[in-house]
Amino acid sequence: MADTEPQPRSVKQANKRGAARLAAVQALYQMDVGGTGLLETVTEYESYRLGQEIDGETYRDADAAWFRDVVSGVVRAQKSIDPLIHASLPTDWPLSRLDTTLRAILRAGCYELSARKDVPVAVIVSEYVDVAKAFYNDEEPKLVNAVLDRIARSERGEGKGRD
């Protein structure tokens, strides 16, 4: 995969939290690939991307507080998030084998499932499946759905699927 920031395909319009989730995934990707720090990345997004026009593309207005919470929460909790994701992946797919964008999606979704108990599981899973659909066609959104559902069952005792 190239080291350029992933560009989402056109999908349904997101609400402000949905836009924040998409931006958080892009920021986490940027931090992972480019090695930029949390403060630098969050400041860049809040100053120059969220709700701004770049190269003729207008970024949807996003809930900046939600964006900050997800990005900083993933960074803060990554040592506990990654084992949860790894345990929820198929045995032949370790976390390190996943592409950077997919890893960012799963980390953000896992963070919300673990830390944002005020948000229903179905909303979190659905929103991150939609984010995955912005970047991928078929298998990856299904994987996001399955992994986040397993994490929801282990973290909250809720979920739709079976082990």
Side-chain angles (χ1 to χ4, degrees):
M1 176 174 211
D3 284 351
T4 59
E5 184 175 335
Q7 297 300 313
R9 292 178 294 130
S10 179
V11 189
K12 72 178 185 177
Q13 285 288 332
N15 59 29
K16 284 189 173 196
R17 279 192 183 171
R21 288 176 173 109
L22 176 60
V25 166
Q26 290 175 306
L28 290 167
Y29 172 91
Q30 180 178 324
M31 291 169 64
D32 200 9
V33 170
T36 55
L38 175 64
L39 254 81
E40 177 185 350
T41 304
V42 168
T43 300
E44 175 191 335
Y45 272 76
E46 289 182 349
S47 299
Y48 304 109
R49 294 184 185 233
L50 303 181
Q52 303 295 319
E53 184 178 320
I54 301 173
D55 298 329
E57 293 285 325
T58 301
Y59 278 61
R60 185 160 169 83
D61 195 22
D63 182 333
W66 199 265
F67 166 78
R68 272 190 310 278
D69 180 60
V70 172
V71 175
S72 63
V74 168
V75 170
R76 211 174 36 253
Q78 191 168 333
K79 287 184 178 171
S80 61
I81 288 171
D82 284 357
L84 284 172
I85 296 169
H86 178 74
S88 300
L89 286 166
T91 54
D92 59 336
W93 281 91
L95 184 61
S96 60
R97 186 174 170 191
L98 296 180
D99 121 323
T100 308
T101 304
L102 192 54
R103 234 183 356 258
I105 293 167
L106 291 173
R107 283 174 173 157
C110 183
Y111 165 73
E112 282 199 47
L113 287 169
S114 301
R116 298 302 309 239
K117 309 283 190 202
D118 56 319
V119 181
V121 167
V123 170
I124 295 169
V125 173
S126 175
E127 290 272 333
Y128 283 103
V129 167
D130 285 346
V131 170
K133 287 177 181 177
F135 296 102
Y136 303 102
N137 287 321
D138 191 39
E139 294 305 312
E140 291 86 350
K142 290 178 184 176
L143 179 67
V144 168
N145 186 50
V147 169
L148 292 181
D149 189 64
R150 286 184 198 118
I151 292 168
R153 280 180 288 149
S154 72
E155 287 298 292
R156 294 193 187 185
E158 305 176 38
K160 293 182 180 177
R162 293 181 292 235
D163 287 331

